[in-house]
């Protein structure tokens, strides 16, 4: 059994410094992935995360045509709905950079009335994009970008939910999400924990307690604390000083 990865925690004075360093981290991950496999597969979350990616817009090292973007979770609403993570990322990022639309892997909104079928279809999209390239049982994302809720959820994996023990499916659905909207699809822990890199982003005073709980008492088993990339997977937290004020775990000085 691989030794669980210990998280590296980078704390920044403000979100502008965080966003700039996160962009440098992502570009380094992209460079390594493109050098090895000619592409960069990344899964992003919704909420406040897309906004922290905007520093990439002005960076010269981003090879947008090599990116393949998926969603760590997505709300099951039309892709132009205000609750859609895709719409959020489209308005915040994609509309400002030359990423090919065919490289953005959205849910099939025509299936939104049948969550089982929609989750299955998204899983098949992952199989198409990864299986012929990686023979592993689970897809190996180059990078998964996660947020964390005040209850410790990440993606759409919520405390006490049966999805936390889903160990076979790559994509699962939830119809009673405690965070609205209720109907969502999400990557499962096996997929998240097979990523080459996982980076959490958490900012603001609203995350003070949950960051302390997750980073200093992982034995509580909160969903975000159960993200432990196996093998050589890296686990990094990008936080601001406001959110990490109660974190006892030693913070590292950001360096690539
Ligand atoms: O679709 C979603 O709602 C997100 O993927 C969700 O998992 C988010 O990352 C957390 O709820 C944190 O959200 P904030 O960063 O906005 O607090």
């Amino acid at each position: 059994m691989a030794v669980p990865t210990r998280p590296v925690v980078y704390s920044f004075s403000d979100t502008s410094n965080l966003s700039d360093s996160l962009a440098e981290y992502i570009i380094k991950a992209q460079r390594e992935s493109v050098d090895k496999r000619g592409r960069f597969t990344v899964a992003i979350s919704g909420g406040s995360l897309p906004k922290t990616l905007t520093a990439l817009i002005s960076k010269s090292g981003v090879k947008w045509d090599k990116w393949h973007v998926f969603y760590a979770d997505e709300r099951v609403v039309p892709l132009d709905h205000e609750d859609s993570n895709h719409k959020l990322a489209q308005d915040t990022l994609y509309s400002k950079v030359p990423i090919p639309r065919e490289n953005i892997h959205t849910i099939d909104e025509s299936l939104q009335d049948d969550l089982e079928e929609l989750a299955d279809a998204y899983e098949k999209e992952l199989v198409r994009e990864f299986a012929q390239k990686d023979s592993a049982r689970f897809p190996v994302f180059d990078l998964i970008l996660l947020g964390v809720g005040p209850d410790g959820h990440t993606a759409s994996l919520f405390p006490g939910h049966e999805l936390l023990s889903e160990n076979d499916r790559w994509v699962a659905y939830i119809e009673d999400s405690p965070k609205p909207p209720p109907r969502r699809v999400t990557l499962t822990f096996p997929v998240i924990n097979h990523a080459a890199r996982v980076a959490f982003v958490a900012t603001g005073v609203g995350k003070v307690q949950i960051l302390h709980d997750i980073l200093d008492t992982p034995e509580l088993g909160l969903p975000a604390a159960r993200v432990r990339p196996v093998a050589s997977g890296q686990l990094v937290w990008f936080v601001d000083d406001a959110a990490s004020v109660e974190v006892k775990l030693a913070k590292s000085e950001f360096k690539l």
Side-chain angles (χ1 to χ4, degrees), residues 45-49 73 75 85 147-149 153-155 179 184 207:
S45 295
S48 63
L49 185 92
D73 66 333
R75 292 85 176 281
N85 284 341
V148 60
H153 81 262
T154 190
K179 177 180 179 182
R184 296 152 168 255
K207 303 291 170 74

Side-chain angles (χ1 to χ4, degrees), residues 27 30-31 34-35 38-40 56 59-68 98-100 103:
I27 291 168
Q30 172 211 271
R31 191 176 302 119
V34 170
D35 287 353
R39 66 179 193 156
F40 180 50
L56 287 165
K59 295 285 183 183
S60 58
V62 188
K63 296 183 173 10
W64 292 109
D65 62 320
K66 303 293 186 191
W67 282 47
H68 278 269
I99 184 168
N103 290 13

